[in-house]
Amino acid sequence: MGGESTGTDWNEVDAALDAALEQPADAREDFLHLEFGDRPQLIARVLELLAAERAAGEFLAPSPPSGDPQAPARVGLPPNTRIGAWQIVELIDTGGMGEVYLARRADGQFEQTAALKLISIAAASHTERFLTERQILAALEHPNIAHLLDGGLADDGRPFMAMELVEGPPLLSYCDEQALDLPTRLRLFLAVCEAVAYAHQNLVVHRDIKPSNIRMDGAGRPKLLDFGIALLLSDEGAGENTQALATPRYAAPEQLSGGRITTATDVYGLGALLYALLTGHPPLDLDDLSLPQVLDRLLHREPTPLSRVELAPDRPYRADELAGDLEAICAKALAKEPARRYRSAEALAEDLHRHLAGLPVSARAPTWSYRAGRHLRRNVWLVASASGLVLSLLVGLAGTAWQAHRASLERDIARAEAEHLNTLRTAVLQMFSSAAADADDGPLTARKLFANSAAKVDQEFGNDPATQGALLQMLGDLHLATEDYEAARPLLERALALREQGLQPAILARVHHGLAHLAFRDGNAASAQSHYDAAVGFWRTAADRYRAELVWSSTIASQLARSRGDSEAAIAILEQAAADADLAWGHEHPETGIVLINLAVAYYYANRLPDALQACAQAWAVWEAIGRTDSPDALNLLANWGLFAVRHGDLDIGEQRLSQALDLRSQLYGPSAALATLMKNLGTVHILNGRSEDGLALLEQAHDMADKFAGAGGRLHASAAYALGWALQSLGQTQRAAETLRAGVDAVGERSNLWTLMCQALLGWVEQQLGATDAVARLDSAIAALLATGAPGIPLRADALSFRAQGRGAAGDRAGAIADFQEALELKRQARGADHYEFLEIQSRLGQALAQDHERDAGMALMEQAAAALTRRLGAQHPLTTLAMQRLRSFDSD
């Protein structure tokens, strides 16, 4: 039947399977070989499905519909029937094993309601399973698991159990009814993960994690229900598939194929639940499919990636917001092979915690560009890199590492007895020397040295807890300095465990400080506050003596204030820290410079741009004074300074600082996604400042580098495509602009973010100039989508409206152009202020449109105001000022 083919598709498999199912069971394999002997792959696929069907047993057997005359009637026990200490109120539900009733305690002991589950007479063969569920629930006490209240035998000998009554809606319904945002949904899901992890710790696999088995209680907590098919891993033969009656759309493949059931089965269930929670749909659509089709999809089809799913209606977020981390996390949890999933529910939860905290997640490829994009350096998150610090630690190994940390050790330890300090110095050199001697598998990097040293601490200093704890704290701080947070965490936690065994209070305070930093990164503000309080509480007992430590702690204090929404308190903390840093170290000291950089960022996020720029200038004076203008800290400062200046409208200063940052990053690190970002920012400013050739060259390099290091279709690539397209159309290269923007839009596919929408908007305007018939519709669609992006999209929506206004003006729709310019002007006022060059550029264009529409006086007034303000702000010779003056003069000559 047909020639040899290297592959198979579903239609072929479906037809062959249907034909095989028409044969007697013992003749199906022979039939397949006879009919499809030249298609070995097709035969193998069909035999696999037949085997899975036999393994599934009653797993996928559909229950009769409620209208089916053969369906069991929902009669149940009459109200007021007494079962043990409980009185039946009404029937709630019926299932395969029994009936569930609303029951009220009737023994007079106290008032209590419960969900009473009674095994049905028809399910007597499942009594053992029912008793297993009761046994499991009796052993589980967790706030997110509905707990067992009572159990026993009814008068007719049937076992029952009374469970906590959870009357709230299912988790998914609750999230949708409340229109919960992404972070809130994820935190509720994390509570479910905690419940599943707790069950696993008690050797219980639930095996039926699905939306209907998680309901919300009155306190807004999710509760995991229905352990009716749960498996006790401690049982003899545990782990084997027992054809559990789970729900196919949320079941792991091994529950169908006869594979071994482990905790990984529940990890898949959690992944399926997370997928539904985020999208409103199960991972696979199994509706209206035959049994073989269901089996084939579960065993072989991959769920549609989150970012390409059409979300259920009324979601308060877009599909593109699910791209990246969340998409990778779901995909890992839903892997067909158990070994490729998360190793545990805790590991899945850990990745979600890291996502919420803005940290790299294990589900994504550990590329340098990805991790660098997620890392923060202290409080400076606009531009961050620790690579320079790593490089500095590679020189000199033990000696350099000791010098890098000597200051903090002396602050913490030198106040103790000199003998202890000498012992510790000797211990550090001994530990590093031993670790270096054992590193015989390639070049010895600083990070490898630290890791090898950590392995030596317990071995060589286990009998000296004070030295052991100090060394663990030092190594933890070194890992923090190189942004290896996961390596730092266990070291600091091990040091904390020695607090009752002679660990010096000064060392303990540093341990708490490091753990506070880690907790804040994890998104656990309460834990961060607790550790911060412990560290600062000790340092404040001798404030003059620990003045430097109190200055260091200001970063975390400021972060905690900002996390509470108190930006002014965050600023006040760092302003005081800057003053204290002068007293502790003097003005010309690296730590003073770091505090000033952090203060600049705090000002920026409070929209106090003049203050942010002044703090940047003060920090730069520090780096100049100490001769460290080529350090990673200086690079961070320059990149931030340039960005702040451009945002403030100071294009000359912005161009200078971004140029310095680009040169320095190129020297220190070479090509990267971060370098592409700098090139894009600087190229854009070059174009604005009239340096067209330089700007275009940088933007072309940024576009190519973004493709290479961040991937086509990502946010950076989209913003680079937009910047290049904008520059090309500004320079009159309309056809090239259209090609660049169209390629950028095509690379994105169905995903969307602010910059992909701007590519769409600009492409619409450019194609309108080229005469494309659907150009206006594309632009209109992008503007409408930008409206839904909220505050972050305000300035970009203003630009898109300006594009449309120019297009309408060129088409003779002057009223439409004026309306768009007016709306764009107001949006720019909100986002940038009335003295910003972006606002003034639109004001000039609005004046031109008004003057062309017979409102000459009003239009001239606006153009004069814009030109005068641009002259004051940018100078009379700046290209933007020149353009504004040309518009004005075109009417002066009339």
Side-chain angles (χ1 to χ4, degrees), residues 707-720:
D707 187 3
K708 180 176 180 180
F709 289 96
R715 183 182 179 88
L716 175 57
H717 185 259
S719 66

Side-chain angles (χ1 to χ4, degrees), residues 328-655:
I329 289 169
C330 261
K332 183 169 182 176
L334 290 169
K336 301 297 184 187
E337 300 84 2
R340 290 178 49 229
R341 297 174 203 152
Y342 287 98
R343 67 183 183 278
S344 64
E346 293 100 319
L348 167 59
E350 173 66 15
D351 248 7
L352 285 170
H353 279 299
R354 294 179 65 80
H355 167 74
L356 287 170
L359 301 174
V361 301
S362 68
R364 295 185 70 180
T367 60
W368 185 91
S369 59
Y370 166 63
R371 292 189 178 277
R374 303 290 285 178
H375 281 318
L376 307 177
R377 188 190 190 281
R378 295 187 174 100
N379 207 25
V380 188
W381 53 79
L382 292 180
V383 180
S385 171
S387 298
L389 179 56
V390 175
L391 291 172
S392 71
L393 291 172
L394 299 184
V395 182
L397 298 177
T400 299
W402 167 254
Q403 291 170 4
H405 198 65
R406 185 178 63 187
S408 62
L409 281 175
E410 289 179 348
R411 280 189 288 263
D412 288 338
I413 299 169
R415 299 179 182 94
E417 297 176 351
E419 181 180 351
H420 182 76
L421 177 57
N422 290 332
T423 299
L424 184 60
R425 284 177 170 171
T426 302
V428 169
L429 293 176
Q430 174 186 339
M431 178 182 65
F432 278 3
S433 298
S434 178
D438 286 353
D440 55 359
D441 55 342
L444 179 59
T445 65
R447 192 165 292 185
K448 185 187 298 183
L449 177 68
F450 303 156
N452 290 352
S453 298
K456 297 285 184 182
V457 171
D458 292 344
Q459 174 185 335
E460 298 185 13
F461 302 98
N463 294 327
D464 182 2
T467 301
Q468 181 186 17
L471 291 172
L472 289 169
Q473 182 272 318
M474 184 202 76
L475 287 169
D477 266 9
L478 285 170
H479 280 297
L480 286 177
T482 57
E483 297 187 348
D484 193 351
Y485 301 107
E486 292 312 299
R489 190 188 312 277
L491 294 170
L492 293 174
E493 289 174 346
R494 284 163 57 192
L496 184 64
L498 296 172
R499 59 184 177 273
E500 304 297 336
Q501 300 181 47
L503 188 65
Q504 290 194 354
I507 297 293
L508 181 59
R510 282 300 306 268
V511 170
H512 279 298
H513 186 260
L515 289 171
H517 178 72
L518 289 169
F520 186 84
R521 290 181 59 83
D522 290 343
N524 190 340
S527 178
Q529 187 74 57
S530 176
H531 284 299
Y532 167 83
D533 290 342
V536 171
F538 171 76
W539 289 329
R540 283 177 178 162
T541 60
D544 289 339
R545 185 176 177 183
Y546 294 106
R547 182 179 298 160
E549 288 83 347
L550 290 169
V551 170
W552 301 338
S553 69
S554 65
T555 296
I556 293 176
S558 177
Q559 289 172 327
L560 289 168
R562 188 175 296 109
S563 72
R564 296 190 296 268
D566 194 347
S567 60
E568 288 305 312
I571 289 171
I573 290 167
L574 289 170
E575 286 176 334
Q576 183 61 52
D580 291 342
D582 269 339
L583 294 174
W585 298 297
H587 190 69
E588 297 177 357
H589 191 280
E591 294 294 344
T592 304
I594 290 292
V595 175
L596 288 170
I597 295 175
N598 293 340
L599 177 58
V601 174
Y603 282 137
Y604 174 81
Y605 278 101
N607 204 30
R608 290 171 56 176
L609 286 169
D611 292 329
L613 293 171
Q614 182 179 3
C616 286
Q618 292 172 343
W620 185 249
V622 173
W623 304 129
E624 284 187 317
I626 62 177
R628 290 182 57 179
T629 56
D630 59 351
S631 66
D633 286 319
L635 168 59
N636 291 333
L637 169 60
L638 288 168
N640 286 341
W641 195 355
L643 182 63
F644 297 168
V646 172
R647 182 60 57 84
H648 189 242
D650 301 331
L651 293 178
D652 285 340
I653 294 175
E655 186 175 56

Side-chain angles (χ1 to χ4, degrees), residues 652-670:
D652 285 340
I653 294 175
E655 186 175 56
Q656 293 171 26
R657 302 311 173 214
L658 289 172
S659 294
Q660 290 175 277
L662 180 60
D663 290 343
L664 185 52
R665 177 166 284 282
S666 299
Q667 295 168 21
L668 291 176
Y669 307 121

